[in-house]
Coordinates of all heavy atoms in Angstrom, one line a residue:
M1063 N 87.0 -15.7 15.6 CA 87.1 -16.7 14.5 C 87.8 -16.0 13.2 O 87.3 -14.8 12.8 CB 86.0 -17.3 14.2 CG 86.0 -18.3 13.1 SD 84.3 -19.0 12.8 CE 84.7 -20.4 12.1
K1064 N 88.8 -16.5 12.7 CA 89.4 -15.9 11.5 C 88.8 -16.5 10.2 O 88.7 -17.7 10.2 CB 90.9 -16.0 11.5 CG 91.6 -15.3 12.4 CD 93.1 -15.4 12.4 CE 93.9 -14.6 13.4 NZ 95.3 -14.7 13.2
H1065 N 88.6 -15.7 9.3 CA 88.1 -16.3 8.0 C 89.2 -16.6 7.0 O 90.1 -15.7 7.0 CB 87.1 -15.3 7.4 CG 85.8 -15.0 8.2 ND1 84.8 -16.0 8.3 CD2 85.4 -14.0 8.9 CE1 83.9 -15.5 9.1 NE2 84.3 -14.3 9.5
I1066 N 89.2 -17.7 6.4 CA 90.2 -18.0 5.4 C 89.7 -17.5 4.1 O 88.7 -17.9 3.7 CB 90.5 -19.5 5.5 CG1 90.9 -19.9 6.8 CG2 91.5 -19.8 4.3 CD1 91.1 -21.4 6.9
V1067 N 90.4 -16.7 3.5 CA 90.0 -16.1 2.1 C 91.1 -16.5 1.1 O 92.3 -16.5 1.5 CB 89.8 -14.6 2.2 CG1 88.6 -14.2 1.4 CG2 89.8 -14.1 3.6
T1068 N 90.8 -16.7 -0.1 CA 91.7 -16.8 -1.1 C 92.3 -15.5 -1.6 O 91.7 -14.5 -1.4 CB 91.1 -17.6 -2.4 OG1 90.2 -16.7 -2.9 CG2 90.6 -18.9 -1.8
V1069 N 93.5 -15.6 -2.1 CA 94.0 -14.3 -2.6 C 93.9 -14.3 -4.0 O 94.6 -13.5 -4.7 CB 95.5 -14.2 -2.1 CG1 95.7 -14.2 -0.6 CG2 96.4 -15.5 -2.7
Q1070 N 93.1 -15.1 -4.6 CA 92.8 -15.1 -6.0 C 92.5 -13.6 -6.7 O 93.1 -13.2 -7.6 CB 91.8 -16.0 -6.5 CG 91.5 -16.1 -8.0 CD 92.7 -16.8 -8.7 OE1 93.5 -17.7 -8.1 NE2 92.9 -16.6 -9.9
D1071 N 91.7 -12.9 -6.0 CA 91.3 -11.6 -6.4 C 92.5 -10.7 -6.4 O 92.7 -9.8 -7.4 CB 90.2 -11.0 -5.6 CG 88.9 -11.8 -5.8 OD1 88.7 -12.4 -6.9 OD2 88.0 -11.8 -4.9
A1072 N 93.2 -10.7 -5.3 CA 94.4 -9.8 -5.3 C 95.5 -10.3 -6.4 O 96.2 -9.3 -6.9 CB 95.2 -10.0 -3.9
V1073 N 95.6 -11.5 -6.7 CA 96.6 -11.9 -7.7 C 96.1 -11.6 -9.1 O 97.0 -11.0 -9.9 CB 96.9 -13.4 -7.5 CG1 97.7 -13.8 -8.7 CG2 97.5 -13.8 -6.2
T1074 N 94.9 -11.8 -9.4 CA 94.5 -11.5 -10.8 C 94.1 -10.1 -11.0 O 93.8 -9.7 -12.2 CB 93.2 -12.4 -11.1 OG1 92.3 -12.1 -10.1 CG2 93.7 -13.9 -11.1
A1075 N 94.1 -9.2 -10.0 CA 93.8 -7.8 -10.1 C 94.8 -7.1 -10.9 O 94.6 -6.2 -11.7 CB 93.6 -7.2 -8.7
F1076 N 96.1 -7.7 -10.9 CA 97.2 -7.0 -11.7 C 97.5 -7.8 -12.9 O 98.7 -7.7 -13.4 CB 98.3 -7.0 -10.7 CG 98.2 -6.1 -9.6 CD1 98.0 -6.6 -8.3 CD2 98.0 -4.7 -9.7 CE1 97.7 -5.9 -7.2 CE2 97.8 -4.0 -8.6 CZ 97.5 -4.5 -7.3
A1077 N 96.8 -8.8 -13.4 CA 97.1 -9.6 -14.4 C 97.3 -8.8 -15.7 O 98.2 -9.2 -16.5 CB 95.9 -10.5 -14.8
D1078 N 96.6 -7.6 -16.0 CA 96.8 -6.8 -17.2 C 98.2 -6.3 -17.2 O 98.8 -6.0 -18.2 CB 95.7 -5.8 -17.1 CG 94.4 -6.3 -17.6 OD1 94.3 -7.5 -18.0 OD2 93.4 -5.6 -17.1
F1079 N 98.8 -5.9 -15.9 CA 100.0 -5.2 -15.8 C 101.2 -6.3 -16.0 O 102.3 -5.9 -16.1 CB 100.2 -4.6 -14.5 CG 99.1 -3.6 -14.3 CD1 98.2 -3.7 -13.4 CD2 99.1 -2.4 -15.2 CE1 97.2 -2.6 -13.2 CE2 98.1 -1.4 -15.1 CZ 97.2 -1.6 -14.1
I1080 N 100.9 -7.6 -15.9 CA 102.0 -8.6 -16.0 C 102.4 -8.8 -17.4 O 103.5 -9.2 -17.6 CB 101.5 -9.9 -15.3 CG1 101.2 -9.7 -13.8 CG2 102.4 -11.0 -15.5 CD1 100.7 -10.9 -13.1
E1081 N 101.5 -8.8 -18.5 CA 101.9 -8.9 -19.8 C 102.8 -7.8 -20.3 O 102.7 -6.8 -19.9 CB 100.6 -8.9 -20.6 CG 99.5 -10.0 -20.1 CD 100.1 -11.4 -20.6 OE1 100.8 -11.5 -21.6 OE2 99.8 -12.3 -19.7
P1082 N 103.6 -8.3 -21.1 CA 104.5 -7.3 -21.8 C 103.9 -6.3 -22.7 O 102.9 -6.8 -23.4 CB 105.6 -8.1 -22.5 CG 105.0 -9.4 -22.7 CD 104.0 -9.7 -21.6
T1083 N 104.3 -5.1 -22.8 CA 103.9 -4.1 -23.7 C 104.2 -4.5 -25.1 O 105.1 -5.3 -25.4 CB 104.1 -2.8 -23.3 OG1 105.6 -2.6 -23.6 CG2 103.8 -2.4 -21.9
A1084 N 103.6 -3.8 -26.1 CA 104.0 -4.0 -27.4 C 105.4 -3.5 -27.7 O 106.1 -4.2 -28.5 CB 103.0 -3.2 -28.4
A1085 N 105.8 -2.5 -27.1 CA 107.3 -2.0 -27.2 C 108.1 -3.0 -26.7 O 109.2 -3.2 -27.3 CB 107.3 -0.6 -26.5
E1086 N 107.9 -3.6 -25.6 CA 108.8 -4.6 -25.1 C 108.9 -5.9 -25.9 O 110.0 -6.4 -26.2 CB 108.2 -5.2 -23.7 CG 108.5 -4.0 -22.5 CD 107.8 -4.4 -21.3 OE1 106.8 -5.1 -21.3 OE2 108.2 -3.7 -20.2
L1087 N 107.7 -6.2 -26.6 CA 107.8 -7.4 -27.4 C 108.5 -6.9 -28.7 O 109.2 -8.0 -29.2 CB 106.2 -7.8 -27.8 CG 105.5 -8.4 -26.7 CD1 104.0 -8.7 -27.1 CD2 106.1 -9.8 -26.2
D1088 N 108.4 -5.9 -29.2 CA 109.2 -5.4 -30.3 C 110.7 -5.5 -30.0 O 111.5 -5.9 -30.8 CB 108.8 -4.0 -30.8 CG 107.4 -4.0 -31.4 OD1 107.0 -5.0 -31.9 OD2 106.8 -3.0 -31.4
A1089 N 111.1 -5.1 -28.8 CA 112.5 -5.0 -28.4 C 113.0 -6.5 -28.3 O 114.1 -6.8 -28.7 CB 112.7 -4.4 -27.1
I1090 N 112.1 -7.5 -27.9 CA 112.5 -8.9 -27.8 C 112.7 -9.4 -29.2 O 113.6 -10.1 -29.5 CB 111.5 -9.6 -26.9 CG1 111.6 -9.3 -25.5 CG2 111.7 -11.1 -27.1 CD1 110.4 -9.8 -24.7
D1091 N 111.7 -9.0 -30.1 CA 111.8 -9.5 -31.5 C 113.1 -9.1 -32.1 O 113.9 -9.6 -32.9 CB 110.7 -9.0 -32.4 CG 109.4 -9.9 -32.0 OD1 109.7 -11.0 -31.5 OD2 108.4 -9.4 -32.4
A1092 N 113.6 -7.7 -31.9 CA 114.7 -7.1 -32.4 C 115.9 -7.9 -31.8 O 116.9 -8.1 -32.6 CB 114.8 -5.6 -32.1
E1093 N 116.0 -8.4 -30.7 CA 117.1 -9.0 -30.1 C 117.1 -10.5 -30.2 O 118.0 -11.2 -29.7 CB 117.1 -8.7 -28.6 CG 117.4 -7.3 -28.2 CD 117.4 -7.0 -26.8 OE1 117.3 -7.9 -26.0 OE2 117.4 -5.8 -26.4
M1094 N 116.0 -11.1 -30.9 CA 115.9 -12.6 -30.9 C 117.0 -13.2 -31.7 O 117.6 -14.2 -31.2 CB 114.6 -12.9 -31.5 CG 114.3 -14.4 -31.5 SD 114.4 -15.1 -29.9 CE 113.0 -14.4 -29.1
P1095 N 117.6 -12.6 -32.8 CA 118.8 -13.2 -33.4 C 120.0 -13.4 -32.6 O 120.7 -14.3 -32.4 CB 119.1 -12.4 -34.6 CG 117.8 -11.7 -34.9 CD 117.1 -11.5 -33.6
L1096 N 120.2 -12.3 -31.7 CA 121.3 -12.4 -30.8 C 121.1 -13.4 -29.5 O 122.0 -14.1 -29.2 CB 121.5 -11.1 -30.1 CG 122.6 -10.9 -28.9 CD1 124.0 -11.3 -29.6 CD2 122.6 -9.5 -28.4
I1097 N 119.8 -13.5 -29.2 CA 119.4 -14.4 -28.1 C 119.7 -16.0 -28.7 O 120.3 -16.7 -28.0 CB 118.1 -14.5 -27.6 CG1 117.9 -13.0 -26.9 CG2 117.5 -15.4 -26.8 CD1 116.4 -12.4 -26.7
L1098 N 119.2 -16.2 -29.8 CA 119.5 -17.4 -30.5 C 121.0 -17.8 -30.8 O 121.4 -18.9 -30.5 CB 118.7 -17.6 -31.8 CG 117.1 -17.6 -31.7 CD1 116.5 -17.5 -33.1 CD2 116.6 -18.7 -30.8
A1099 N 121.8 -16.8 -31.1 CA 123.2 -17.0 -31.2 C 123.9 -17.3 -29.9 O 124.7 -18.1 -29.8 CB 123.9 -15.7 -31.9
D1100 N 123.4 -16.6 -28.8 CA 123.9 -17.0 -27.4 C 123.5 -18.4 -27.1 O 124.3 -19.0 -26.5 CB 123.2 -15.9 -26.5 CG 124.1 -14.6 -26.4 OD1 125.3 -14.6 -26.8 OD2 123.4 -13.6 -26.1
V1101 N 122.3 -18.9 -27.5 CA 122.0 -20.1 -27.1 C 122.8 -21.1 -27.8 O 123.2 -22.2 -27.1 CB 120.4 -20.3 -27.4 CG1 120.0 -21.8 -27.3 CG2 119.6 -19.6 -26.4
D1102 N 123.2 -20.9 -29.0 CA 124.0 -21.7 -29.8 C 125.4 -21.9 -29.2 O 126.0 -22.9 -29.0 CB 124.1 -21.4 -31.3 CG 122.8 -21.6 -32.0 OD1 121.9 -22.4 -31.5 OD2 122.6 -21.1 -33.1
L1103 N 125.9 -20.7 -28.8 CA 127.2 -20.7 -28.1 C 127.2 -21.5 -26.9 O 128.0 -22.3 -26.5 CB 127.6 -19.2 -27.8 CG 129.0 -19.1 -27.1 CD1 130.1 -19.7 -27.9 CD2 129.3 -17.6 -26.9
L1104 N 126.1 -21.3 -26.0 CA 126.0 -22.0 -24.8 C 126.0 -23.5 -25.0 O 126.5 -24.4 -24.3 CB 124.8 -21.7 -24.0 CG 124.9 -20.3 -23.2 CD1 123.7 -19.8 -22.7 CD2 126.0 -20.4 -22.2
D1105 N 125.1 -23.8 -26.1 CA 125.0 -25.3 -26.5 C 126.4 -26.0 -26.8 O 126.8 -27.0 -26.4 CB 124.1 -25.5 -27.6 CG 122.6 -25.5 -27.2 OD1 122.4 -25.5 -26.0 OD2 121.8 -25.2 -28.0
A1106 N 127.3 -25.2 -27.6 CA 128.5 -25.7 -28.0 C 129.4 -25.8 -26.8 O 130.3 -26.7 -26.6 CB 129.1 -24.7 -29.1
Q1107 N 129.3 -24.9 -25.8 CA 130.1 -24.8 -24.6 C 129.8 -26.0 -23.7 O 130.5 -26.7 -23.0 CB 130.2 -23.6 -23.9 CG 130.8 -22.4 -24.7 CD 130.6 -21.0 -24.1 OE1 129.8 -20.9 -23.3 NE2 131.7 -20.1 -24.4
I1108 N 128.5 -26.3 -23.6 CA 127.9 -27.2 -22.7 C 128.4 -28.7 -23.2 O 128.7 -29.5 -22.4 CB 126.5 -27.2 -22.6 CG1 126.0 -26.0 -21.8 CG2 125.9 -28.6 -22.0 CD1 124.5 -25.7 -21.8
I1109 N 128.5 -28.9 -24.5 CA 128.9 -30.1 -25.2 C 130.3 -30.5 -24.6 O 130.6 -31.6 -24.3 CB 128.9 -30.0 -26.6 CG1 127.4 -30.1 -27.1 CG2 129.6 -31.2 -27.2 CD1 127.3 -29.9 -28.6
T1110 N 131.2 -29.5 -24.4 CA 132.6 -29.7 -24.1 C 132.8 -29.8 -22.5 O 133.9 -29.7 -22.1 CB 133.5 -28.7 -24.7 OG1 133.1 -27.4 -24.2 CG2 133.3 -28.6 -26.2
L1111 N 131.7 -29.7 -21.7 CA 132.0 -29.6 -20.2 C 132.6 -30.9 -19.7 O 133.4 -30.9 -18.7 CB 130.6 -29.3 -19.6 CG 130.1 -27.8 -19.6 CD1 128.8 -27.7 -18.9 CD2 131.2 -27.0 -19.0
D1112 N 132.1 -32.1 -20.2 CA 132.5 -33.3 -19.6 C 133.6 -34.0 -20.3 O 134.0 -35.2 -20.1 CB 131.4 -34.3 -19.5 CG 130.6 -34.6 -20.8 OD1 131.0 -33.8 -21.8 OD2 129.9 -35.5 -20.9
R1113 N 134.2 -33.3 -21.3 CA 135.3 -34.0 -22.1 C 136.2 -32.8 -22.7 O 135.8 -31.6 -22.7 CB 134.8 -34.8 -23.2 CG 134.0 -33.9 -24.2 CD 133.4 -34.8 -25.4 NE 132.6 -34.0 -26.1 CZ 132.4 -34.1 -27.4 NH1 133.0 -35.0 -28.1 NH2 131.5 -33.4 -28.0
L1114 N 137.4 -33.2 -23.1 CA 138.2 -32.3 -23.8 C 137.8 -31.9 -25.1 O 137.4 -32.9 -25.9 CB 139.8 -32.9 -23.9 CG 140.5 -33.0 -22.6 CD1 141.9 -33.7 -22.8 CD2 140.8 -31.5 -22.0
P1115 N 137.7 -30.7 -25.5 CA 137.2 -30.4 -26.8 C 138.0 -30.9 -27.9 O 139.3 -30.6 -27.8 CB 137.1 -28.7 -26.8 CG 137.6 -28.3 -25.5 CD 138.0 -29.6 -24.7
N1116 N 137.5 -31.5 -28.9 CA 138.3 -31.9 -30.0 C 138.3 -30.8 -31.1 O 137.8 -29.7 -30.9 CB 137.9 -33.3 -30.6 CG 136.3 -33.2 -31.0 OD1 135.8 -32.2 -31.2 ND2 135.8 -34.3 -31.1
E1117 N 138.9 -31.0 -32.3 CA 138.9 -29.9 -33.2 C 137.5 -29.4 -33.7 O 137.3 -28.3 -33.9 CB 139.7 -30.5 -34.5 CG 140.0 -29.3 -35.5 CD 141.0 -29.8 -36.6 OE1 141.6 -30.9 -36.3 OE2 140.8 -29.3 -37.6
L1118 N 136.6 -30.5 -33.8 CA 135.3 -30.1 -34.3 C 134.6 -29.3 -33.2 O 133.9 -28.2 -33.6 CB 134.5 -31.3 -34.6 CG 133.1 -31.2 -35.0 CD1 133.0 -30.5 -36.4 CD2 132.3 -32.5 -35.1
D1119 N 134.8 -29.5 -31.9 CA 134.1 -28.8 -30.8 C 134.7 -27.3 -30.9 O 134.0 -26.4 -30.7 CB 134.4 -29.4 -29.5 CG 133.8 -30.8 -29.3 OD1 132.7 -31.0 -30.1 OD2 134.2 -31.7 -28.7
A1120 N 136.0 -27.3 -31.0 CA 136.7 -26.0 -31.0 C 136.2 -25.0 -32.2 O 135.9 -23.9 -32.0 CB 138.3 -26.1 -31.1
R1121 N 136.0 -25.7 -33.3 CA 135.5 -25.0 -34.5 C 133.9 -24.6 -34.4 O 133.7 -23.5 -34.6 CB 135.6 -25.9 -35.7 CG 135.3 -25.1 -37.0 CD 135.4 -26.1 -38.3 NE 136.6 -27.0 -38.1 CZ 136.6 -28.1 -38.8 NH1 135.7 -28.5 -39.6 NH2 137.7 -28.8 -38.6
R1122 N 133.2 -25.4 -33.6 CA 131.7 -25.1 -33.3 C 131.7 -23.9 -32.4 O 130.9 -23.0 -32.5 CB 131.2 -26.3 -32.8 CG 129.6 -26.1 -32.6 CD 129.0 -27.3 -32.0 NE 129.1 -28.5 -32.9 CZ 129.5 -29.6 -32.7 NH1 129.8 -30.1 -31.4 NH2 129.4 -30.6 -33.7
I1123 N 132.6 -23.9 -31.4 CA 132.5 -22.9 -30.4 C 133.0 -21.6 -31.1 O 132.5 -20.5 -30.9 CB 133.5 -23.1 -29.1 CG1 132.8 -24.3 -28.3 CG2 133.8 -22.0 -28.3 CD1 133.7 -24.9 -27.2
R1124 N 134.1 -21.7 -31.8 CA 134.6 -20.4 -32.5 C 133.5 -19.9 -33.5 O 133.3 -18.6 -33.5 CB 135.9 -20.8 -33.4 CG 136.6 -19.6 -33.9 CD 138.0 -19.9 -34.5 NE 138.0 -21.1 -35.5 CZ 138.4 -22.3 -35.3 NH1 139.0 -22.6 -34.2 NH2 138.3 -23.3 -36.1
R1125 N 132.8 -20.7 -34.3 CA 131.8 -20.2 -35.1 C 130.8 -19.6 -34.3 O 130.1 -18.6 -34.8 CB 131.3 -21.3 -36.0 CG 132.3 -21.8 -37.1 CD 131.7 -22.9 -37.9 NE 132.6 -23.2 -39.0 CZ 132.4 -24.4 -39.7 NH1 131.5 -25.2 -39.6 NH2 133.4 -24.7 -40.7
A1126 N 130.4 -20.2 -33.3 CA 129.2 -19.6 -32.4 C 129.5 -18.4 -31.8 O 128.8 -17.4 -31.8 CB 128.9 -20.6 -31.4
R1127 N 130.9 -18.2 -31.5 CA 131.4 -16.8 -30.9 C 131.4 -15.8 -32.0 O 130.9 -14.7 -31.7 CB 132.9 -17.0 -30.4 CG 132.9 -17.1 -28.9 CD 134.3 -16.9 -28.4 NE 134.4 -17.9 -27.3 CZ 135.3 -18.8 -27.0 NH1 136.3 -19.0 -27.9 NH2 135.3 -19.5 -26.0
N1128 N 131.8 -16.2 -33.2 CA 131.8 -15.3 -34.2 C 130.3 -14.8 -34.6 O 130.1 -13.6 -34.9 CB 132.5 -15.8 -35.5 CG 134.0 -15.9 -35.3 OD1 134.5 -15.1 -34.5 ND2 134.6 -16.8 -36.0
R1129 N 129.4 -15.8 -34.6 CA 128.0 -15.4 -34.8 C 127.4 -14.5 -33.7 O 126.8 -13.5 -34.1 CB 127.1 -16.6 -34.9 CG 125.7 -16.5 -35.3 CD 125.0 -17.7 -35.6 NE 123.5 -17.3 -35.6 CZ 122.6 -18.1 -35.0 NH1 122.9 -19.3 -34.4 NH2 121.4 -17.8 -35.1
V1130 N 127.8 -14.8 -32.5 CA 127.4 -13.9 -31.4 C 127.9 -12.4 -31.6 O 127.2 -11.5 -31.5 CB 127.8 -14.4 -30.1 CG1 127.6 -13.3 -28.9 CG2 127.0 -15.7 -29.7
L1131 N 129.2 -12.3 -32.0 CA 129.7 -11.0 -32.2 C 129.1 -10.4 -33.4 O 128.8 -9.1 -33.4 CB 131.3 -11.2 -32.4 CG 132.1 -11.5 -31.1 CD1 133.6 -11.7 -31.5 CD2 131.9 -10.5 -30.1
S1132 N 128.8 -11.1 -34.5 CA 128.2 -10.6 -35.6 C 126.8 -10.0 -35.3 O 126.4 -9.0 -35.7 CB 128.1 -11.6 -36.7 OG 127.4 -11.1 -37.8
E1133 N 126.0 -10.8 -34.5 CA 124.7 -10.4 -34.1 C 124.7 -9.2 -33.2 O 123.9 -8.3 -33.3 CB 123.9 -11.6 -33.5 CG 123.6 -12.7 -34.4 CD 122.7 -12.3 -35.6 OE1 121.9 -11.3 -35.5 OE2 122.8 -12.9 -36.7
R1134 N 125.6 -9.1 -32.3 CA 125.8 -8.0 -31.4 C 126.1 -6.7 -32.2 O 125.5 -5.6 -32.0 CB 126.9 -8.1 -30.5 CG 126.5 -9.0 -29.3 CD 127.7 -9.1 -28.3 NE 127.3 -10.1 -27.2 CZ 128.1 -10.5 -26.2 NH1 129.3 -10.0 -26.3 NH2 127.6 -11.4 -25.3
R1135 N 127.0 -6.9 -33.3 CA 127.3 -5.7 -34.1 C 126.0 -5.2 -34.9 O 125.8 -4.1 -35.0 CB 128.4 -6.1 -35.1 CG 128.8 -4.9 -36.0 CD 130.0 -5.3 -36.9 NE 129.4 -6.3 -37.8 CZ 130.0 -7.5 -38.0 NH1 131.1 -7.9 -37.3 NH2 129.5 -8.5 -38.9
A1136 N 125.3 -6.3 -35.4 CA 124.2 -5.9 -36.2 C 123.1 -5.3 -35.3 O 122.4 -4.3 -35.8 CB 123.6 -7.2 -36.9
L1137 N 123.0 -5.8 -34.1 CA 121.8 -5.2 -33.3 C 122.4 -3.7 -32.9 O 121.5 -2.8 -32.9 CB 121.8 -6.0 -31.9 CG 120.8 -5.5 -30.9 CD1 119.3 -5.4 -31.6 CD2 120.8 -6.4 -29.7
A1138 N 123.6 -3.5 -32.7 CA 124.1 -2.2 -32.3 C 123.8 -1.2 -33.5 O 123.6 -0.1 -33.2 CB 125.6 -2.2 -31.9
N1139 N 124.1 -1.7 -34.7 CA 124.0 -0.9 -35.8 C 122.4 -0.5 -36.1 O 122.1 0.6 -36.4 CB 124.5 -1.5 -37.1 CG 126.0 -1.5 -37.1 OD1 126.6 -0.8 -36.4 ND2 126.6 -2.4 -37.8
R1140 N 121.7 -1.5 -35.8 CA 120.1 -1.2 -36.0 C 119.6 -0.3 -34.9 O 118.9 0.6 -35.2 CB 119.4 -2.6 -35.9 CG 119.4 -3.5 -37.0 CD 118.3 -4.5 -36.9 NE 118.5 -5.4 -35.8 CZ 119.1 -6.5 -35.7 NH1 119.8 -7.0 -36.8 NH2 119.2 -7.3 -34.5
T1141 N 120.1 -0.5 -33.7 CA 119.6 0.5 -32.6 C 120.2 1.9 -32.8 O 119.6 2.8 -32.5 CB 119.9 -0.1 -31.3 OG1 121.3 -0.3 -31.1 CG2 119.2 -1.3 -31.0
A1142 N 121.4 1.9 -33.3 CA 122.0 3.2 -33.5 C 121.3 4.0 -34.7 O 121.1 5.2 -34.7 CB 123.5 3.1 -33.8
G1143 N 121.0 3.3 -35.6 CA 120.3 3.8 -36.8 C 118.9 4.2 -36.5 O 118.4 5.2 -36.9
A1144 N 118.2 3.5 -35.5 CA 116.9 3.8 -35.1 C 116.9 5.1 -34.2 O 115.8 5.7 -34.1 CB 116.3 2.7 -34.5
A1145 N 118.0 5.3 -33.5 CA 118.0 6.4 -32.5 C 118.2 7.7 -33.3 O 118.0 8.7 -32.7 CB 119.2 6.2 -31.6
L1146 N 118.6 7.8 -34.6 CA 118.8 9.0 -35.3 C 117.7 9.3 -36.3 O 117.6 8.7 -37.4 CB 120.1 8.9 -36.2 CG 121.4 8.7 -35.3 CD1 122.5 8.5 -36.2 CD2 121.7 9.9 -34.4
P1147 N 116.7 10.2 -35.9 CA 115.6 10.3 -36.7 C 116.1 11.1 -38.0 O 116.8 12.0 -37.8 CB 114.6 11.2 -35.8 CG 115.6 11.7 -34.7 CD 116.6 10.8 -34.6
G1148 N 115.5 10.9 -39.1 CA 115.8 11.6 -40.2 C 117.0 11.1 -40.9 O 117.5 11.8 -42.0
G1149 N 117.7 10.1 -40.5 CA 118.9 9.5 -41.2 C 120.1 10.4 -40.9 O 120.2 11.2 -39.9
A1150 N 121.2 10.1 -41.6 CA 122.5 10.8 -41.4 C 122.4 12.3 -41.7 O 121.6 12.6 -42.7 CB 123.5 10.1 -42.2
A1151 N 123.0 13.0 -40.9 CA 123.0 14.5 -41.2 C 124.2 14.9 -42.1 O 125.3 14.4 -42.1 CB 123.2 15.2 -39.9

């Protein structure tokens, strides 16, 4: 006769390892402006999926693209500055 056992103990045994670390949460916080800019760009692109984009849609997409590029540049500058201890030499 086989015993039917739950796997609850096996699943919850690793619950502490599933949570993100403080460093991972800090990295997500640092990237959040870029993530939100990407979401705005996707929203602008999704609006135009079922119709031809008019001038307002094209402007919205262009602004969202520019914001994404700006946030990528800002994130790259922040991470490059953080990688150099002691500032510029």
